[in-house]
Structures are given as structure tokens and as C-alpha cells.
Amino acid sequence: LKSAMQPETVRHHAAALRKLENYAPSLQICDITPEWLRVYAAYLRDKHHNNPGTIRKNMCVIRMHYYAAMRAGKVKNNPFEVYRIPQADPAVIYLTDEELNALIGLFRSDNLDDGETDVLRFFLFMCFTAMHISDARNLQIEQIHGGEIHYTRIKTRTRVDMPLSAPADKLVEHYKSGRLRGPLCRNLPTDQAFNRIIKRICKRIGINKAVSAKTARHTFATLYYKKNNGDLGTLSKLLGHTQ
């Protein structure tokens, strides 16, 4: 399935499988039982200090590969009929108006190094456009016209037409640098490095939340909902939800 996966998904699978190999280098697919899965989930929680969402993602990767082995006739028993992958209640982290304005002030202050400035600029761009980091990375200059960003979400394959606010338009002009074609945002760090840097930047001004790239999208959604009297219909379209 690798050729059909997004690069971010491939990286996630590779990381999960490396973690599994470090835990049990000689593991055979037939060794995986419901009890083994319970013990491994506890290991991820207690030794790796993974949160429930991360544990769930790791177990889902194992399940996908185990099912591939079943389809290939390598194993017959299905431990996932007995072991249920735990549901995770993901925490929705967003910034308040005050916190967002504090970040904008920091961005304008010239108190960050170039790498941090690039990360914060991209984070603010996502706050102003509600874009997921993968969609923002793939955004092309040609997709911006008529005062709007026009793109198809990678995850849901839904069409999004996002009006450009004045702050977003200003950032677009910076990124374009006179170019007419090609990727809008270039030379960005990996998702992991991005999340590490933006969390560090936020802590510098007293924002001690678990901020990540997803926080930008959640911030747009929360502030839009509050400022537009709960207009969920329009918000859903701007976020590119399927329903």
C-alpha cells in the first residue's frame, strides 16, 4: 500500500514499526496474541509515555500489517477480534484571541532567530487559513486567485474555497516573493521538528499548552465559531469537512 499512502502516513508507519522492532527484535507475526497486544500497549504507556491517541495509532499500524499477513495466508487467528484497540479522546488544543495576538506580537518583534521566524510565520498562516499542515505544505501559488485559496483536502478529498483575510494575504505575498508558479511555502522543517519548535516558541511567552500544527486549525475553527454566532455550516465548508 506504500505507493498509495501520503508521505506523512508512510513516516508514521515507519516510526511505529521501528518502535515495535526495538521492543521485540525477534517478533514473529504469529507471536501476536490478544495478551501480547495488551502488554505492548502498557509498554507504550508506561515506558514511552505515549498518550492514548499515540498508542491507538501504533496499534492501528500493527493491525493493518497483521491483516495483510492474514490476507497472504501467513496467519489464521485474528487477535483483534478479542483485543479491542482503545478509543482515544483527542484533546482539542486551540489558542485564545489573547494568545494568538501575543504570538503575532512576538512575530513582529524580531526577537526570534530565522528558523523560529519561519516556523511561526507558517503557523500563523495556518491559523488564518484553517489549513492542515499537509495541505499547506502542498499548496501551489496557482491555487491562489480571486482573493481566495482554492484547494482539495488531502484527507477528505473535499474542495475548499478559503477567502484570504488581510493577514493571510500579507503572508501569501511574502511567500510568493514575486513568483507566479510553484509551491507557496518552501524549505520547511519536518512535521516533528515544526511541532517541537512551535511548542518552544509558545512557552517563551507563557503559552504552556500542548501546541502543535493542529492547534492552528483548531484556533481558526474556535475563533470563527465564536465570532460568527456558531455558523457551523460555513465553518464546516471552510474546514473541508465531508459533512
Side-chain angles (χ1 to χ4, degrees):
L1 296 176
K2 183 177 180 181
S3 61
M5 290 180 176
Q6 295 297 326
E8 183 179 355
T9 304
V10 173
R11 287 195 297 270
H12 167 63
H13 274 246
L17 294 174
R18 281 196 302 271
K19 194 181 299 183
L20 179 62
E21 185 176 15
N22 289 334
Y23 172 74
S26 59
L27 179 71
Q28 300 293 310
I29 197 79
C30 58
D31 295 333
I32 296 178
T33 64
E35 180 58 27
W36 185 94
L37 291 167
R38 282 190 284 270
V39 171
Y40 185 59
Y43 163 80
L44 294 176
R45 181 193 65 216
D46 299 335
K47 300 298 184 181
H48 269 271
H49 305 292
N50 289 160
N51 61 43
T54 301
I55 293 173
R56 175 177 172 76
K57 288 180 180 179
N58 277 268
M59 303 308 279
C60 284
V61 168
I62 294 173
R63 182 175 62 185
M64 179 180 288
H65 288 267
Y66 192 94
Y67 283 178
M70 289 182 66
R71 290 193 298 272
K74 303 295 184 182
V75 285
K76 294 182 179 180
N77 295 327
N78 181 5
F80 292 94
E81 288 182 347
V82 177
Y83 174 80
R84 298 295 181 183
I85 295 178
Q87 296 294 320
D89 295 323
V92 177
I93 307 297
Y94 65 89
L95 302 180
T96 64
D97 259 326
E98 293 76 14
E99 290 168 336
L100 180 58
N101 286 331
L103 278 180
I104 294 172
L106 179 61
F107 177 70
R108 293 172 175 169
S109 69
D110 293 328
N111 289 329
L112 301 172
D113 62 37
D114 290 344
E116 291 173 332
T117 299
D118 290 341
V119 165
L120 183 51
R121 180 185 291 110
F122 191 54
F123 181 82
L124 292 174
F125 177 72
M126 291 188 290
C127 284
F128 298 144
T129 60
M131 297 188 77
H132 185 276
I133 189 169
S134 296
D135 295 319
R137 285 183 183 277
N138 288 314
L139 184 63
Q140 302 293 305
I141 294 174
E142 303 94 294
Q143 294 173 291
I144 306 172
H145 50 84
E148 293 183 336
I149 296 174
H150 305 275
Y151 71 101
T152 299
R153 282 206 67 203
I154 293 172
K155 182 177 181 180
T156 61
R157 308 309 303 169
T158 52
R159 173 80 175 184
V160 179
D161 302 306
M162 171 62 69
L164 278 175
S165 63
D169 187 52
K170 188 173 182 179
L171 292 177
V172 165
E173 291 305 312
H174 170 85
Y175 280 124
K176 287 168 64 175
S177 300
R179 294 179 297 126
L180 300 178
R181 303 182 64 83
L184 179 67
C185 306
R186 301 176 294 180
N187 303 319
L188 295 168
T190 64
D191 290 1
Q192 293 84 353
F194 179 92
N195 288 333
R196 185 172 60 251
I197 295 169
I198 193 62
K199 191 180 278 93
R200 184 176 71 220
I201 291 171
C202 287
K203 286 184 177 180
R204 191 174 302 176
I205 56 174
I207 301 174
N208 295 311
K209 300 176 179 179
V211 177
S212 67
K214 289 183 180 180
T215 304
R217 185 168 160 84
H218 294 160
T219 297
F220 176 94
T222 303
L223 298 184
Y224 182 94
Y225 182 82
K226 289 181 178 179
K227 292 176 180 178
N228 291 276
N229 300 315
D231 182 2
L232 283 176
T234 302
L235 177 59
S236 180
K237 291 179 180 178
L238 295 176
L239 293 175
H241 289 168
T242 53
Q243 57 182 11

